[in-house]
Amino acid sequence: MPDQDAFPDLPKIVYEGPDSKNPLAFRHYNPEEEVEGRAMRDHLRFSVVYWHTFRNPLGDPFGVGTAVRPWDDGSDSLENARRRARAAFEFMEKLGVPFYAFHDRDIAPEGAGLAETNRNLDAVVDVLKEEQERTGIQLLWGTACLFVHPRFVHGAATSCNADVFAYAAAQVKKAIEVTHHLGGAGYTFWGGREGYTSLLNTNAKRELDHLGRFLQMAVDFKRKLGFEGQFYIEPKPKEPTKHQYDSDAAACLNFLREFGLLDHFKLNIETNHATLAGHTVEHELETALAADALGSIDANMGDLLLGWDTDQFPTDIYQAVQVMLRVLQMGGFTTGGLNFDAKVRRESFEPIDLAYAHIAGMDTFARGLKIAAAIRKDGRLEAFRRERYASWDSGIGSRIENGDADFDSLERYMLEKGDVAPNRSGRQEYLENLINRFL
Ligand code: XLS
Ligand code: NI
Ligand code: NI
């Protein structure tokens, strides 16, 4: 049991319904409520991220951290790391989230050399294991931090220094082991500094080959270990580097195909990364879906007027609807979930803000889920889209789709027909208004 109360003012957050005026209650997230025959808890699979919620001091390039975290003495001691882990579980338990996610270095401090660092990690993993068993909260995915320490200045698997590749391999091996030990449902590879800041000093082809080899080694090790969790790649176009190799869903899928890894990875799509790449999140989700590779979602949002990964808590209901339409279309998450890779604003520095932020994100997605289910039940959106392609369901369209047409036969067909007039409005405004009826 925790030996202290890190969040003494935080009650257990419960569902009170849409009319509640209590800011520390859910108005829409009702874990047991069924939507399309499945409990909301299992649709949404919410996850708290350790890095932003328990390690982010809320600094920015112009100012130091502002976060007030009374349970954290700011030191790199193991004792502090253990206390922080207990505080994290107290928070997650009160919030009622079923999952969490971490980087190895979020949970335990670096030691002098890899062996001591690994021992530190094991010591805190023991606490996490105990807390998981006490609360029933599970690990959505683990990952390795291959971007903070100066050794990774030129990247990890794509470093110009082979020793750094070796260090990263050893670190990822250990991170997969502890994820396995904690029963993690997945393991994520996010490119961190796997990219370049200048092509003048970069052999991109060689670096990409190294990344391919690295991920192949990870797949081999996973098999050897017997880890059954899902591997994910998380696309991001830039930041911290000018160009990240895993820049968007299409680039990741192409990379995985090139290196024969597509069967072993799914994508973890992050909303703010999609927008940084100049895409909507629904574009990224559909790209992943089309390749049967949508695995999990880092649920956050950006700010269109700020050009970086602001990692804000998702409070845009319209966007949540777009996301949940795709999740429902996929038949729901299997190993993945909605992972709040989001941080409170620097101005929101009190512990209670962490609760307000997560409640906002959870209620936003609960509404997104309910609205998406209502749109699907109504059926008009889907029917319109299906109808729009009706010419492909018979005649010349089905002959083309079935491979029973070639340029000669299509020329004959059109010479006979003469011409074709535009005969179907796209009805964008009608559809936008249709969606609005459900909001
Ligand atoms: C950073 C990424 C990172 C990954 C995990 O932008 O979103 O937080 O999710 O390494
Ligand atoms: Ni991010
Ligand atoms: Ni992320």
Side-chain angles (χ1 to χ4, degrees):
M1 287 295 285
D3 51 7
Q4 54 149 21
D5 234 3
F7 293 88
D9 304 329
L10 185 63
K12 172 103 187 94
I13 310 299
V14 295
Y15 173 72
E16 291 185 2
D19 295 334
S20 171
K21 294 212 161 54
N22 177 3
L24 292 174
F26 297 120
R27 294 185 300 123
H28 299 280
Y29 179 57
N30 185 10
E32 309 305 335
E33 188 179 323
E34 294 214 341
V35 177
E36 292 196 7
R38 194 177 187 188
M40 283 178 106
R41 174 191 288 112
D42 303 325
H43 271 294
L44 298 165
R45 292 170 62 89
F46 288 129
S47 164
V48 166
V49 306
Y50 209 93
W51 53 99
H52 283 317
T53 296
F54 294 100
R55 297 315 308 275
N56 198 318
L58 309 181
D60 71 16
F62 298 91
V64 297
T66 57
V68 176
R69 305 288 181 253
W71 58 86
D72 194 319
D73 66 17
S75 77
D76 266 342
S77 74
L78 260 182
E79 229 7 79
N80 194 35
R82 288 201 186 93
R83 193 167 49 240
R84 187 192 294 124
R86 306 262 185 218
F89 272 84
E90 182 194 332
F91 176 76
M92 296 189 289
E93 196 184 13
K94 285 178 166 174
L95 194 62
V97 283
F99 295 101
Y100 73 115
F102 64 74
H103 300 88
D104 47 5
R105 298 302 166 258
D106 302 333
I107 57 173
E110 291 248 359
L114 186 60
E116 189 182 317
T117 300
N118 286 347
R119 280 196 301 277
N120 288 350
L121 188 61
D122 287 335
V124 183
V125 163
D126 286 346
V127 177
L128 297 180
K129 179 117 189 159
E130 219 180 283
E131 289 289 306
Q132 283 188 202
E133 277 158 15
R134 183 180 69 77
T135 59
I137 294 169
Q138 292 170 283
L139 180 60
L140 188 70
W141 47 261
T143 187
C145 176
L146 304 173
F147 44 90
V148 168
H149 193 281
R151 78 175 70 84
F152 300 119
V153 60
H154 301 303
T158 64
S159 175
C160 48
N161 182 344
D163 271 1
V164 174
F165 183 105
Y167 191 101
Q171 187 178 331
V172 167
K173 172 179 184 287
K174 180 71 181 170
I176 295 172
E177 282 167 354
V178 305
T179 299
H180 181 49
H181 177 66
L182 291 169
Y187 183 90
T188 292
F189 294 83
W190 166 61
R193 291 180 192 276
E194 313 292 26
Y196 60 80
T197 303
S198 169
L199 279 174
L200 292 174
N201 61 14
T202 300
N203 184 335
K205 158 87 178 126
R206 208 164 177 186
E207 293 194 1
L208 279 161
D209 284 347
H210 295 164
L211 186 56
R213 176 139 316 184
F214 191 91
L215 295 180
Q216 184 60 56
M217 289 181 192
V219 167
D220 294 343
F221 177 68
K222 176 185 193 236
R223 193 175 294 128
K224 197 161 138 194
L225 181 67
F227 175 52
E228 308 255 307
Q230 176 65 51
F231 272 179
Y232 306 109
I233 292 206
E234 182 181 322
K236 183 174 184 179
K238 56 188 166 194
E239 199 201 292
T241 65
K242 173 193 174 79
H243 174 84
Q244 304 264 133
Y245 292 131
D246 52 6
S247 54
D248 65 3
C252 287
L253 291 169
N254 179 60
F255 173 87
L256 291 170
R257 275 194 201 96
E258 183 177 348
F259 289 93
L261 292 165
L262 199 50
D263 289 345
H264 304 286
F265 288 82
K266 287 196 186 295
L267 301 185
N268 178 37
I269 300 296
E270 178 164 324
T271 310
N272 205 171
H273 296 181
T275 47
L276 278 181
H279 304 308
T280 57
V281 64
E282 52 268 33
H283 167 93
E284 288 294 82
L285 294 174
E286 294 216 357
T287 303
L289 270 171
D292 197 20
L294 177 56
S296 198
I297 294 175
D298 271 10
N300 62 13
M301 67 179 191
D303 184 321
L304 287 178
L305 301 184
L306 297 172
W308 66 90
D309 195 10
T310 58
D311 282 336
Q312 286 164 239
F313 275 84
T315 54
D316 182 337
I317 295 167
Y318 199 89
Q319 204 167 53
V321 171
Q322 296 303 321
V323 171
M324 291 316 296
L325 277 171
R326 272 76 188 180
V327 172
L328 290 175
Q329 182 194 327
M330 158 170 95
F333 290 117
T334 48
T335 54
L338 293 171
N339 183 50
F340 290 120
D341 194 352
K343 60 181 184 234
V344 288
R345 297 304 84 195
R346 186 168 185 266
E347 298 84 349
S348 307
F349 46 77
E350 294 177 7
I352 199 77
D353 289 307
L354 297 173
Y356 291 137
H358 282 88
I359 292 167
M362 291 164 81
D363 261 352
T364 298
F365 267 94
R367 285 187 76 180
L369 169 64
K370 286 195 276 190
I371 294 167
I375 291 170
R376 283 159 57 85
K377 185 156 180 243
D378 170 82
R380 274 177 291 176
L381 180 65
E382 196 38 47
F384 181 88
R385 199 157 36 200
R386 206 173 38 242
E387 261 299 290
R388 188 162 178 246
Y389 294 89
S391 71
W392 293 90
D393 295 335
S394 60
I396 193 75
S398 71
R399 287 206 294 283
I400 297 172
E401 281 196 351
N402 294 334
D404 296 332
D406 58 16
F407 273 12
D408 286 324
S409 67
L410 293 178
E411 184 189 44
R412 274 197 305 278
Y413 172 83
M414 234 346 121
L415 284 173
E416 200 171 297
K417 202 160 184 176
D419 203 355
V420 49
N423 67 344
R424 240 172 224 281
S425 164
R427 298 262 192 273
Q428 181 175 331
E429 301 79 4
Y430 159 82
L431 294 171
E432 286 167 347
N433 201 27
L434 177 65
I435 299 269
N436 285 352
R437 285 169 179 244
F438 296 90
L439 293 181

